[in-house]
Amino acid sequence: MSTLKVNKIIPVGGVPTGGGGGIIQVLQTAKTDTFSTTSSGFSDITGLSVTITPTSSTSKILLHYDANVGGNEIVFVRLLKGSTAIGIGDASSNRQRVTQGGQFRSGNDDKLSIFSGTFIDSPSTTSATTYKLQIYRHSGTVTVNKPFNDTDASYTGRGISTLTAMEVSA
């Protein structure tokens, strides 16, 4: 058995302008248990974070998330690097700056909805960097990996939520 170790992978034709050379490492957190909150505003989704240590300060981090969300009111999600929100919309008066969301779940609270997205970050460091997903609750209850109406019946389900971080060489 052989092992190939490299610091950077560059395509034969060279790196395209603005492109990267290859995936260096991939880390993923998979949350299979459930989470719920009645706290107003943004809350960390317990157990849905990933810490990656880039090998180069010029590397990009390609983030992908899938979150199974339930609730009975307005729901948003947002990405964070440490305690700083990233991949969010522009500020506009009283509107929330979010990565994705805005579902009104009233009357359909035995279902799960998937929030899924991708974002590229440039952390410019070789220090351990933690990314996480937060959920926003306006009112009511917000759940992850289970519907708000978590009846023990064949028409309800449980899901899995993931957060993946891939280091891409610059």
Side-chain angles (χ1 to χ4, degrees):
M1 174 182 256
S2 298
T3 302
L4 175 65
K5 295 182 180 183
V6 298
N7 290 332
K8 190 179 246 188
I9 299 171
I10 299 176
V12 173
V15 177
T17 302
I23 302 295
I24 298 170
Q25 61 176 315
V26 178
L27 299 171
Q28 182 182 74
T29 296
K31 180 177 179 61
T32 59
D33 61 341
T34 63
F35 172 84
S36 62
T37 184
T38 56
S39 297
S40 295
F42 287 98
S43 298
D44 292 351
I45 300 173
T46 306
L48 197 55
S49 66
V50 63
T51 300
I52 189 167
T53 304
T55 59
S56 170
S57 62
T58 60
S59 292
K60 309 284 188 202
I61 304 299
L62 175 60
L63 299 160
H64 180 80
Y65 65 88
D66 291 302
N68 274 288
V69 177
N72 62 344
E73 250 298 342
I74 298 167
V75 179
F76 300 117
V77 295
R78 74 175 177 185
L79 278 170
L80 277 85
K81 175 173 57 178
S83 60
T84 303
I86 60 173
I88 57 174
D90 291 343
S92 178
S93 190
N94 293 318
R95 295 166 183 85
Q96 296 298 322
R97 298 183 70 197
V98 302
T99 304
Q100 189 178 25
Q103 295 192 335
F104 184 79
R105 313 267 321 150
S106 182
N108 201 14
D109 55 13
D110 58 351
K111 308 285 189 292
L112 286 169
S113 294
I114 189 75
F115 288 80
S116 183
T118 304
F119 182 75
I120 296 175
D121 186 42
S122 301
S124 301
T125 186
T126 55
S127 297
T129 304
T130 299
Y131 296 93
K132 60 186 171 183
L133 199 64
Q134 287 187 323
I135 198 157
Y136 176 86
R137 175 197 164 270
H138 174 70
S139 63
T141 300
V142 176
T143 60
V144 176
N145 293 344
K146 69 176 183 175
F148 168 72
N149 181 9
D150 194 28
T151 302
D152 186 9
S154 61
Y155 59 84
T156 61
R158 294 286 173 94
I160 180 176
S161 297
T162 60
L163 179 58
T164 305
M166 294 174 266
E167 181 182 1
V168 180
S169 61

